[in-house]
Amino acid sequence: MLLWLAQQYQDQIGALRVFNFITFRAVFATLTALLIGLIFGPAVIRMLTRLKVGQAVRTDGPQTHLIKSGTPTMGGALILIGIAVSTLLWGDWSNRFMWPVLIVTLGFGAIGWVDDYRKVVYKDPKGMASREKYFWQSVIGLAAAFYLAFSVSGPTNMKVWALFLEWVQSGFSMNLPPKADLIVPFVKTFTYPLGVWGFIALTYFVIVGTSNAVNLTDGLDGLAIMPTVMVGSALGLFAYLAGSANYAKYLLIPHIPGAGELIIFCGAMAGAGLAFLWFNAYPAQVFMGDVGALALGGALGTIAVIARQEIVLFIMGGVFVVETLSVMLQVAYFKYTKMRTGVGKRVLLMAPLHHHFEQKGWKETQVVVRFWIITMMLVLVGLSTLKLR
């Protein structure tokens, strides 16, 4: 919105031309979201406390977490407000990538809101049934995947529509341009062609998988939000570089016209995330809840697809990946041993992985900070793929 206003009056006021620079708007999008969170955070926490929107803690979890029962949850709504307001203020409304990312983020946030509401009102830690949650995640994920298959491939909105018509006329068998291929990091020329259906399938799993992975990681004070900020900021850089023809050519990455505008969204996500961390740091005054975790994970997955960095997201979000695998391994092994011997056994002391380390004697703050450090190293490895080929 501010960009449009500045462009209307930049001939009369030359200083307003600075709004045309994406980096300028990205910095102020970050600061705006940060200030929104810091200013309105205390009021939101008081409101949630007054409404008795308290976290229902799992009785089968670590016993040290029982003292957290009643801590206000659904604080992720504050993050989403900061992201949405800041992105709409500083972003380019005509950009074809800004709206899908916002819709996916807010859509997954709505799913998380319903899940959290059921947990709070009915005092049920399980919240929304898994099948119902996955159904709505799939609806949003598949819709986004279908749109991105053509919007990533086409340089303009008109070309996107033309590609879709061409695909229909080909009997749904048309291949996509090379920029839509799966990029293999650390290799200069090797990419894997996906086709339309392959692109849709991969995008669906990236968006929905990342959403649930961040949600599983959100189990300790500050554990999920800081890795989200770091990974999101790095993805913002990838999107910015992919949106520049010169940088993309120099770095041998696909040029995706319009992708650079996503650095505005990523900046807003970083600012809102840091503001939330102010209140979520140990001992947490408020929890993110599914409304925040599902939304932020969906946003990361969508941005990674647009920037064509799905495998790099897998690397940088290694903490999210390992947390998810720890749950899958624990459940699979328990079911297997119960089927074979009649008694279910566990690989870990408790899943997800962060609870395992707590059971091993690590303090909560130790687990959190060490996972932050690991994420920082993984993000640096991911950034190194820009030149190490």
Side-chain angles (χ1 to χ4, degrees), residues 121-143:
V121 172
Y122 301 109
K123 305 299 181 183
D124 180 8
K126 295 181 180 180
M128 184 186 292
S130 297
R131 288 185 179 180
E132 183 182 3
K133 185 186 298 185
Y134 288 138
F135 171 78
W136 290 112
Q137 285 180 312
S138 297
V139 169
I140 297 173
L142 286 172

Side-chain angles (χ1 to χ4, degrees), residues 47-378:
M47 181 187 70
L48 293 174
T49 303
R50 187 168 60 252
L51 295 174
K52 298 182 180 180
V53 184
Q55 176 70 35
V57 178
R58 289 170 46 189
T59 56
D60 59 342
Q63 296 303 299
T64 54
H65 288 203
L66 294 178
I67 61 174
K68 299 183 180 186
S69 181
T71 301
T73 188
M74 302 174 75
L78 179 65
I79 302 175
L80 299 187
I81 291 171
I83 291 174
V85 171
S86 186
T87 301
L88 292 174
L89 273 177
W90 297 99
D92 180 2
W93 288 20
S94 66
N95 183 270
R96 70 182 190 279
F97 293 123
M98 187 182 80
W99 293 106
V101 175
L102 267 177
I103 291 171
V104 169
T105 303
L106 297 179
F108 275 76
I111 296 171
W113 177 275
V114 174
D115 191 23
D116 286 335
Y117 181 80
R118 293 182 183 178
K119 291 177 183 177
V120 170
V121 172
Y122 301 109
K123 305 299 181 183
D124 180 8
K126 295 181 180 180
M128 184 186 292
S130 297
R131 288 185 179 180
E132 183 182 3
K133 185 186 298 185
Y134 288 138
F135 171 78
W136 290 112
Q137 285 180 312
S138 297
V139 169
I140 297 173
L142 286 172
F146 191 84
Y147 173 78
L148 292 178
F150 301 99
S151 63
V152 166
S153 304
T156 64
N157 288 332
M158 290 301 297
K159 184 61 177 176
V160 169
W161 179 245
L163 279 172
F164 172 74
L165 292 178
E166 186 180 346
W167 177 61
V168 173
Q169 293 168 358
S170 70
F172 308 106
S173 60
M174 179 190 76
N175 289 324
L176 292 174
K179 67 171 66 178
D181 293 351
L182 177 64
I183 298 176
V184 179
F186 302 112
V187 181
K188 182 177 293 186
T189 57
F190 182 75
T191 60
Y192 186 81
L194 297 169
V196 175
W197 294 115
F199 187 100
I200 291 173
L202 176 65
T203 300
Y204 166 77
F205 284 114
V206 169
I207 294 176
V208 175
T210 308
S211 175
N212 288 301
V214 174
N215 194 35
L216 287 172
T217 306
D218 184 34
L220 301 178
D221 298 350
L223 177 59
I225 190 61
M226 194 59 189
T228 299
V229 169
M230 289 189 280
V231 174
S233 299
L235 286 175
L237 177 60
F238 275 104
Y240 175 73
L241 295 173
S244 169
N246 292 331
Y247 286 133
K249 181 178 180 181
Y250 173 69
L251 295 170
L252 301 177
I253 58 177
H255 173 46
I256 313 294
E261 192 69 22
L262 291 181
I263 196 173
I264 309 296
F265 180 93
C266 292
M269 182 164 57
L274 291 175
F276 179 77
L277 181 61
W278 184 274
F279 306 104
N280 185 238
Y282 182 86
Q285 298 173 255
V286 65
F287 295 141
M288 186 190 307
D290 287 8
V291 61
L294 291 178
L296 293 176
L300 293 179
T302 308
I303 296 166
V305 169
I306 295 171
R308 312 306 308 126
Q309 299 296 334
E310 296 92 341
I311 296 179
V312 171
L313 171 63
F314 185 86
I315 295 172
M316 297 193 299
V319 165
F320 302 139
V321 174
V322 172
E323 290 272 51
T324 304
L325 291 177
S326 71
V327 174
M328 295 172 63
L329 177 63
Q330 186 88 323
V331 172
Y333 188 71
F334 183 86
K335 290 182 177 180
Y336 173 75
T337 53
K338 187 173 184 178
M339 180 183 65
R340 291 292 300 271
T341 66
V343 179
K345 298 180 181 180
R346 294 173 172 82
V347 178
L348 303 173
L349 296 177
M350 187 176 292
L353 186 62
H354 55 261
H355 288 326
H356 170 78
F357 287 115
E358 282 190 290
Q359 296 297 98
K360 293 280 287 184
W362 289 21
K363 295 181 184 296
E364 180 173 345
T365 50
Q366 287 179 308
V367 177
V368 171
V369 174
R370 287 170 180 173
F371 277 36
W372 288 359
I373 294 171
I374 292 171
T375 300
M376 187 179 300
M377 291 189 295
L378 292 175

